[in-house]
Amino acid sequence: MVIKDLSQLPPPYEFEDGIYPVVVDNGYAQQKCAYWGNVDGQKTRVNFIVPSRAQMGRINVDVHGEASGVYTVSGSDYTVAADIREPEVMRSKNYAFSEINCALVHHTLVLAGFGGKKVKLATGLPFSHYFRNRSIDEVFVQKVKNSLLQPCKSAVGKAMPEIVSHTIYPESTAAAVSYAYNEETGDLKSFENGLVVIDMGGGTTDITIVNGDFTLDMDLSGSRQLGVIDIRESLRSAIEATFEVSGMTDKQLDLALRSGEFKLYGEPKDITSLIDSSTKLTVKKLSTLLSETIGEGAFLDDILFVGGGAQILSKAFKDRYQQAHVPSEAEYENANGMLDYMILTSEAA
């Protein structure tokens, strides 16, 4: 169940041990959440998205003069809101253990109804950040875990979640699990000739080669700094040059990318041609990257395209590869895969 209106999020489904499994796929552009919600008494998978936008300081106040969306992390204030005009920009590896990420993850958990509750948290890392020299980078993974345990408080005294455990997964591998996992039988789909997962997020693109026995080809798998943010910034420049305007917010750009139009002086303007031109360079870079990795991909069983970029580049990708598969809710594949991972490893019943 995908929830667009966050005021309609169902409450978390209660587990006997009082500990709630929840996933926050904490990307550069978006926080994608997956948890078990209580929908008419039934345990139901729930997905929602929060933009990864935070700014240092107390920026927003509500009509009562109280700080709105403000969190204090290790003594520093951060305002989290979709319409922040000057969000902090971080596309480096350091984002994963930053105070900004800590504020964003806790904000997402509070929105999902986990304030005052104990949670088993799962988050993700790009493939090349999770692995180092063909094995898990334990030092970096632990650094990321420690970063989410630092003190994080609501400026208005909201109850905060208590993270009792934190598991980190490689993002594109989690998407492969989501794609292959059968909830009814608990089995994983097999791939005779392998599966390629292309995960284009906000700042990075992961390419993961999954062998027929569900092992990973570490030599061919990896990450590149290429993502939706590149398309968004190109579109921003094109719109501002074409219409001689300035000051478009990230929120407005996200909406324009998805709808193909934006409002200028209250009137809708069609920008599909600008979007096409803005995506061309990214498509070319991605095509080159894929050719280097999988060639024509003729002998692969499936090529799975997920992440926020899958929605935007779906047509170009399907035109290029016959066995391409783009899930209807491609941006949630990593988060759902992590929730499935937790079931497979008995971390969530």
Side-chain angles (χ1 to χ4, degrees), residues 40-346:
D40 298 327
Q42 299 297 313
K43 178 184 170 186
T44 306
R45 187 191 301 262
V46 177
N47 293 132
F48 70 93
I49 282 177
V50 180
S52 298
R53 295 188 192 122
Q55 188 172 345
M56 292 186 69
R58 299 192 175 205
I59 308 302
N60 292 345
V61 297
D62 62 21
V63 294
H64 304 292
E66 292 187 332
S68 177
V70 176
Y71 298 88
T72 303
V73 182
S74 295
S76 298
D77 290 336
Y78 294 89
T79 300
V80 180
D83 54 1
I84 288 287
R85 287 197 168 272
E86 297 181 2
E88 310 298 333
V89 178
M90 291 187 71
R91 293 186 67 179
S92 71
K93 191 175 180 180
N94 294 349
Y95 170 80
F97 57 83
S98 67
E99 292 180 354
I100 293 172
N101 180 60
C102 182
L104 287 165
V105 169
H106 279 84
H107 175 69
T108 304
L109 292 173
V110 169
L111 285 178
F114 292 104
K117 292 180 169 58
K118 295 181 178 180
V119 301
K120 294 177 180 178
L121 176 67
T123 63
L125 283 172
F127 191 93
S128 62
H129 296 177
Y130 185 84
F131 293 105
R132 183 180 183 185
N133 296 329
R134 295 183 175 82
S135 61
I136 298 172
D137 189 341
E138 299 286 0
V139 173
F140 185 73
V141 168
Q142 188 58 50
K143 190 172 185 177
V144 175
K145 289 182 178 182
N146 292 342
S147 72
L148 289 181
L149 295 178
Q150 60 187 313
C152 181
K153 298 179 180 180
S154 163
V156 294
K158 288 183 179 180
M160 299 299 289
E162 178 186 351
I163 301 173
V164 298
S165 70
H166 180 194
T167 306
I168 299 177
Y169 298 105
E171 291 167 346
S172 51
T173 308
V177 171
S178 177
Y179 182 55
Y181 182 62
N182 186 316
E183 285 192 43
E184 294 183 2
T185 65
D187 297 326
L188 288 173
K189 177 183 177 182
S190 61
F191 301 95
E192 181 180 354
N193 295 312
L195 165 72
V196 174
V197 182
I198 301 153
D199 173 22
M200 177 177 280
T204 59
T205 293
D206 281 1
I207 297 180
T208 304
I209 313 298
V210 183
N211 298 317
D213 59 356
F214 233 85
T215 58
L216 305 179
D217 187 322
M218 301 300 292
D219 288 334
L220 291 179
S221 302
S223 307
R224 299 291 189 279
Q225 190 163 328
L226 178 69
V228 176
I229 291 175
D230 297 291
I231 299 172
R232 191 173 67 194
E233 292 309 307
S234 176
L235 180 62
R236 186 200 306 272
S237 298
I239 290 175
E240 292 183 349
T242 301
F243 296 97
E244 299 182 346
V245 294
S246 62
M248 282 195 77
T249 66
D250 288 348
K251 181 180 179 180
Q252 291 169 322
L253 284 164
D254 284 345
L255 181 59
L257 266 174
R258 293 179 183 278
S259 66
E261 64 179 30
F262 83 109
K263 286 188 176 181
L264 184 65
Y265 303 114
E267 295 294 326
K269 300 290 183 181
D270 184 281
I271 55 168
T272 51
S273 62
L274 296 182
I275 292 174
D276 288 342
S277 62
S278 297
T279 58
K280 279 182 179 178
L281 181 58
T282 300
V283 169
K284 187 174 182 179
K285 288 181 178 179
L286 180 59
S287 297
T288 300
L289 178 59
L290 291 176
S291 295
E292 293 173 352
T293 307
I294 62 174
E296 295 300 315
F299 299 105
L300 293 165
D301 291 330
D302 288 280
I303 303 176
L304 180 65
F305 195 18
V306 301
Q311 305 283 2
I312 299 168
L313 304 180
S314 176
K315 184 179 183 303
F317 182 67
K318 288 180 177 179
D319 288 345
R320 176 68 177 81
Y321 296 101
Q322 292 183 24
Q323 69 276 56
H325 180 72
V326 181
S328 58
E329 300 291 346
E331 53 204 349
Y332 295 109
E333 285 295 290
N334 281 322
N336 287 332
M338 291 180 218
L339 199 58
D340 292 335
Y341 247 137
M342 294 173 84
I343 296 171
L344 289 167
T345 55
S346 301

